[in-house]
Amino acid sequence: MAQEAHHLQEEHLDVLTESGVKTGISKPRGDIHRDGDYHRAVHVWIFAENTQELLLQRRADCKDSWPGLWDISSAGHISAGDSSLVTAWRELQEELGVILPKDAFEMIFIFLQDCVINDGKFINKEFNDVYLVTTLDPIPLEAFTLQETEVSAVKYISYEEYRSVLAKEDPEYVPYDVNGQYGELFHIIERRYKESTVARSLALQKQLRRYAPVSLDAELTGLTDADREALVLLVNAAKVMDTIFDLQVWYSNPALRDWLKEHADASELDKLKWMYYVINKSPWSCLDENEAFLTTANSAIKLLPEATRRVSHWKGLEYRAAFPMLKPPGANFYPPDMDKREFELWKSSLTADQQQDATGFFNIIKRHSEFGLESSLSYDTANITQHLVGSTHDLYIVPFPQEYKPYLKKASELLQKAGDITSSSSLKRLLHGKANALCSNDYYESDIAWMELDSKLDVTIGPYETYEDTLFGYKATFEAFIGVRDDKATAQLKLFGDNLKILEQNLPMESVYKSEDVTAAPIRVIHLLYNAGDVKGPQTIAFNLPNDERIVKDRGTSMVMLKNVSEAKFKHILQPIADVCITKEQQGLVDFESFFTHTICHECCHGIGPHTITLPNGEKSTVRLELQELHSALEEAKADIVGLWALRFLIHQDWLPKSLLKSMYVSFLAGCFRSVRFGLQEAHGKGQALQFNWLYVKGAFILHPNETFSVDFSKVEDAVESLSREILTIQAKGDKEAADVLLQKYSKMTQPLKIALQKLEDIQVPVDIAPIFPIANKILE
């Protein structure tokens, strides 16, 4: 264990509960082991890929536990108030003289070590964060600088031989149960390097087949020459959103992207890796509950000439830029080892304005103690100490324009130029406003300009959706949609936006929760010609923005419908689903008009119902802040089910044809199977499972012996209204506990859903489309 020179007294450790949660108490290290308190530590393994060897250290003879035995590459306690990642970095530097950036460390699992040694005087109840550092070749032994009070020697050993000596309980090695939890270390290495190329290629081909490649064109004849010129700049500005989003997903994601693209032509397998990465924009598969389809073994190789002591004729340490197998819930918006409790404790120490920034859309959260850790050589104690001056907490806020400065500056310049060129005064106002907002971090006026956009060339660009932040649902990702407005279809949809206030006043919930401030929502129908940024995996067919509660309260929202995307999804996905899963008697009721009209109502219903709310204690808040990570799934379910309710209401008012009444329910049933296939980790899929299972339990959806489904029209209206009331009331009260109970009970893969999904798998109906943009691709070439 590294003795830290800057600790004048005995090292204090945080005391944890049996489940690993901080109690708020810290004690000296000696007392922790005397009393058998749960605490935290790190294990860092260095693994040489080309030789399949692990680095071991021999513990110094003066150690109070396992003296003189061979053990982990590096390890150490996490001191009270310290973070896991910084501790891993520090132990490696102090014990072995190896200095690495944070993208070298891959957190692979947490291991609870529970043992008693030294005649009962040393009780070890330790939660260990186990990290893996993957180098290409073994580090020369003479490159290490060993801390003599901790380490007496180091050596490399093949991971298979090491597993064998542990299994035999060799007395020269610190014991670990390779048949228990710690055996995961060896299983991870084995899976990465022993899987056959053929098996991996077949798996990726199967995953790719779930997406139907579809070319999306838009008619440009209605654009002026000036707007066509501006379009070139806009497509390039949109491309910048890709770069920012990749970084928002995970800090090593850009390096992985560049590496896969550079090596895509090396083999058929490398080509498949790149193709599937392009769809998911990360190593985690959207349609497989975010299961990793790549590992750190597939990632970028980086060279660090000065990571260790210099050795003649050795160019330096080459390592793989790491990413975790489990997708981080906080993406790259928060420190990777930050939990909710730490965030809430820090937030409670802030002023009201600072709390608003901490939970705001357009800022990220970092650690002072990680300052400079992106670059290993710039990271030193003096650097950290200087950064901590005046700060009593490790966490701090970084606005988007500071974090993404070079990218936002480039996008801003392109939007400014496009605004100068365009012939549309409305588009000019939007582009100039958005160019300023990217640098100022104040999107209010530019989002108002977006809502009021009246231009043939339609543009949406900036940070909007919060789906990527599954820790809290606070932080927005960058995205872009560029299309050409369909004037005829847009004019036909005025009915929906103009009647939002009437829908709000008739919502199935108590009147006290209804808003008086709902305004008409503009709706634009476009033909998409390019999208970028947070458009990974399943493609959206519409969006309702902005999400900023200030604007929703003051001005409402605006909707954009992507008609060519909707048409492609209906043709390639929904119609084939109906042919397989819906009874013959009701198949004819599944039509594009019902599908598209419900999509419109879905987006409209994002703009009604609770947003800014009053809590039982009288405090003002928002649904997003109260429901946190549950908000996205429940909001998508609300928009869907209340959208169905709204369609029925409009039909009963004779504002829509009665011919829609049955077709909308059957089309919705078919759509349930489409959305659930997105996965229950995704907000839309989770929300859709909730709706299907509720309606199924209520008898509104029927499963027949031939494994087809139908709607019971005598029960569906009451079932839709009851679920609408349930969700709207939970949102109005900001009741996170009730939201969790509802989602836990109904957002699961039930047997009826499994039957439908298996039928679709058997005949290989695509899950979604993979758009191809010929016009934009020509511009980018």
Side-chain angles (χ1 to χ4, degrees), residues 344-374:
E344 295 296 351
L345 282 172
W346 166 68
K347 192 183 81 168
S348 67
S349 72
L350 303 177
T351 65
D353 286 346
Q354 289 172 331
Q355 288 187 13
Q356 196 168 5
D357 287 340
T359 59
F361 291 104
F362 314 127
N363 306 287
I364 69 166
I365 310 301
K366 287 193 166 186
R367 289 194 188 281
H368 289 290
S369 58
E370 288 183 17
F371 183 71
L373 197 53
E374 282 82 3

Side-chain angles (χ1 to χ4, degrees), residues 700-739:
F701 292 162
I702 301 167
L703 172 60
H704 297 277
N706 66 351
E707 297 188 341
T708 60
F709 294 80
S710 66
V711 175
D712 185 333
F713 298 113
S714 68
K715 296 179 179 178
V716 70
E717 290 191 1
D718 287 344
V720 166
E721 185 164 321
S722 65
L723 180 55
S724 297
R725 181 178 292 105
E726 182 82 9
I727 294 175
L728 289 166
T729 304
I730 287 172
Q731 289 185 322
K733 293 180 177 179
D735 191 342
K736 186 179 180 184
E737 184 178 346

Side-chain angles (χ1 to χ4, degrees), residues 362-407:
F362 314 127
N363 306 287
I364 69 166
I365 310 301
K366 287 193 166 186
R367 289 194 188 281
H368 289 290
S369 58
E370 288 183 17
F371 183 71
L373 197 53
E374 282 82 3
S375 171
S376 62
L377 302 182
S378 67
Y379 188 93
D380 56 55
T381 306
N383 200 357
I384 296 171
T385 304
Q386 184 178 8
H387 208 252
L388 283 165
V389 170
S391 173
T392 56
H393 292 273
D394 198 16
L395 301 177
Y396 68 103
I397 300 164
V398 181
F400 280 2
Q402 183 179 331
E403 181 67 10
Y404 311 123
K405 184 175 181 179
Y407 313 117

Side-chain angles (χ1 to χ4, degrees), residues 511-527:
S511 296
V512 68
Y513 299 133
K514 295 175 183 177
S515 173
E516 298 290 335
D517 302 324
V518 174
T519 56
I523 305 176
R524 309 194 293 268
V525 180
I526 71 170
H527 292 271

Side-chain angles (χ1 to χ4, degrees), residues 207 210-212 245 276 278-281 284-290 467-468 479 481 528 531 533-542 562 565 569 573 674-685 766-771:
Q207 288 174 309
R210 294 177 297 181
Y211 290 91
F245 176 67
Y276 200 53
V278 168
I279 288 173
N280 293 279
K281 299 198 171 191
W284 301 288
S285 175
C286 298
L287 294 180
D288 298 295
E289 313 291 347
N290 289 320
Y467 302 126
E468 200 67 20
E479 63 185 20
F481 295 86
L528 186 68
N531 66 12
D534 189 1
V535 293
K536 62 185 174 65
Q539 298 294 294
T540 188
I541 52 180
L562 312 180
V565 178
K569 290 206 182 198
I573 301 162
R674 181 183 73 87
S675 297
V676 167
R677 297 174 85 203
F678 298 161
L680 300 191
Q681 293 298 313
E682 194 268 347
H684 298 80
V767 177
D768 209 73
I769 64 168

Side-chain angles (χ1 to χ4, degrees), residues 416-437:
Q416 186 70 40
K417 289 177 183 175
D420 293 341
I421 291 170
T422 181
S423 55
S424 164
S425 59
S426 176
L427 183 57
K428 187 184 296 287
R429 174 191 169 206
L430 168 64
L431 298 179
H432 285 165
K434 198 64 74 172
N436 292 333

